[in-house]
Amino acid sequence: MATHEVPAAPVRRRDGVAVIDIGGDVNRSAEASLEAAWLEAVAGEPKAVVLSFAGAGYINSTGIALIVGLLARGRAAGIELRAYGLTPHYREIFEITRLADFMAINPDEDSAVRGAEGSSDV
Amino acid sequence: MLDEFEVVSTEGNERVAIDRVGAAVTSLGLPAKRLERLKTAVGEATMNAMEHGSEYRADRPVAIRVLTGDGAVRVQITDLGGARPDAEHEIPDLEAKLEGLQRPRGWGLFLIESMVDELRETSEGSQHTLERGLRLKEADDGDA
């Protein structure tokens, strides 16, 4: 039997931007915590939502689908999504799935909050 | 053969397959980038087999064989779900997903195909096998 890390996704605010700290695995078990984090993040009408993967572990195809869902909701609400903290492998996956075409992938939190890597296709 | 084992069809158990295959290929010295690709392909294929083949039934485990030879590593993942319907092979289109024209899920096979050099799918009776091959070394392996 596999062991599962308990996912957590607390929300912080910096300069009008909501930062969701994604911890643990990004798979089906993360669905409830990501949903709660998204609702908390957008409740403050942020300029953008930053997904921090710095504390994330394993990401599978179900986790990719969860991120697609957040991206769709962001587009519908006119809220830009940005990301940082991806390992080179998961950055490659964001590129081949084209997630990187629709959300800016930044090297660190400061640039993600500033939106220094350019805006996404919202 | 480097390893042969079974995984109980329970959600999350693809991590068992990933860890075991990762350990089995340690002696091959795969570059980190290719090892990560192999692990993602194994995880997604095991998930696919457990969900669509074994329907997450504990009495229908997924069999995994790790082979090497001819400059490649091959992983065979076999379930008892028989041939797959074509509907599972929808090519994911992110733009369509964002527009609600495709479901958010459906990335598994796409990720598998993107991560490996060869992919072979065979069915015989109730047995369905997905074999993926990865060359041990590529000219562009900058992290070797």
Side-chain angles (χ1 to χ4, degrees):
Chain A
M1 179 73 69
T3 57
H4 301 274
E5 293 179 35
V6 177
V11 178
R12 295 179 284 121
R13 295 189 190 279
R14 276 190 60 187
D15 303 330
V17 171
V19 180
I20 300 177
D21 288 310
I22 300 173
D25 294 345
V26 186
N27 54 17
R28 194 190 302 273
S29 69
E31 186 168 10
S33 59
L34 280 181
E35 168 71 17
W38 176 260
L39 292 176
E40 182 182 343
V42 299
E45 298 184 1
K47 290 188 287 190
V49 173
V50 170
L51 302 179
S52 166
F53 290 92
Y58 167 65
I59 303 173
N60 68 12
S61 57
T62 308
I64 295 293
L66 293 176
I67 295 161
V68 170
L70 296 184
L71 189 55
R73 292 166 74 173
R75 284 187 113 199
I79 298 172
E80 182 184 347
L81 256 73
R82 305 169 191 156
Y84 79 95
L86 288 163
T87 66
H89 177 62
Y90 287 122
R91 183 173 179 126
E92 179 187 21
I93 286 180
F94 271 48
E95 286 167 358
I96 63 174
T97 56
R98 295 192 61 220
L99 276 168
D101 290 349
F102 292 87
M103 68 169 76
I105 310 297
N106 294 267
D108 53 48
E109 182 172 317
D110 286 345
S111 58
V113 169
R114 287 197 313 270
E117 295 302 300
S119 61
S120 66
D121 181 15
V122 174
Chain B
M1 186 182 309
L2 294 173
D3 200 359
E4 183 174 26
F5 58 98
E6 287 188 344
V7 174
V8 176
S9 296
T10 300
E11 195 163 334
N13 260 8
E14 76 272 13
R15 296 293 297 274
V16 174
I18 291 170
D19 292 345
R20 184 95 176 239
V21 171
V25 302
T26 299
S27 62
L28 301 177
L30 278 174
K33 182 175 177 179
R34 300 183 75 69
L35 178 60
E36 289 302 313
R37 286 180 172 183
L38 178 66
K39 290 162 88 171
T40 287
V42 166
E44 295 299 328
T46 305
M47 278 175 61
N48 189 290
M50 293 192 299
E51 181 176 357
H52 300 293
S54 300
E55 298 172 324
Y56 285 128
R57 282 172 46 180
D59 63 335
R60 297 175 73 173
V62 170
I64 300 178
R65 300 173 76 206
V66 187
L67 311 157
T68 187
D70 297 328
V73 58
R74 291 185 170 76
V75 182
Q76 296 174 340
I77 297 182
T78 302
D79 62 64
L80 299 174
R84 298 285 193 272
D86 287 343
E88 288 175 25
H89 295 266
E90 177 182 70
I91 297 169
D93 177 335
L94 181 55
E95 203 140 11
K97 291 178 186 296
L98 294 175
E99 297 290 335
L101 302 174
Q102 278 187 7
R103 63 202 171 108
R105 290 193 63 187
W107 293 103
L109 191 59
F110 174 79
L111 283 179
I112 296 168
E113 290 171 342
S114 302
M115 295 286 109
V116 297
D117 300 315
E118 305 162 18
L119 186 65
R120 194 183 316 166
E121 190 172 6
T122 57
S123 294
E124 190 175 330
S126 65
Q127 288 206 333
H128 174 264
T129 299
L130 205 57
E131 177 178 311
R132 66 217 40 83
L134 194 71
R135 286 184 288 277
L136 297 181
K137 198 157 179 58
E138 286 292 286
D140 65 350
D141 283 331
D143 55 356

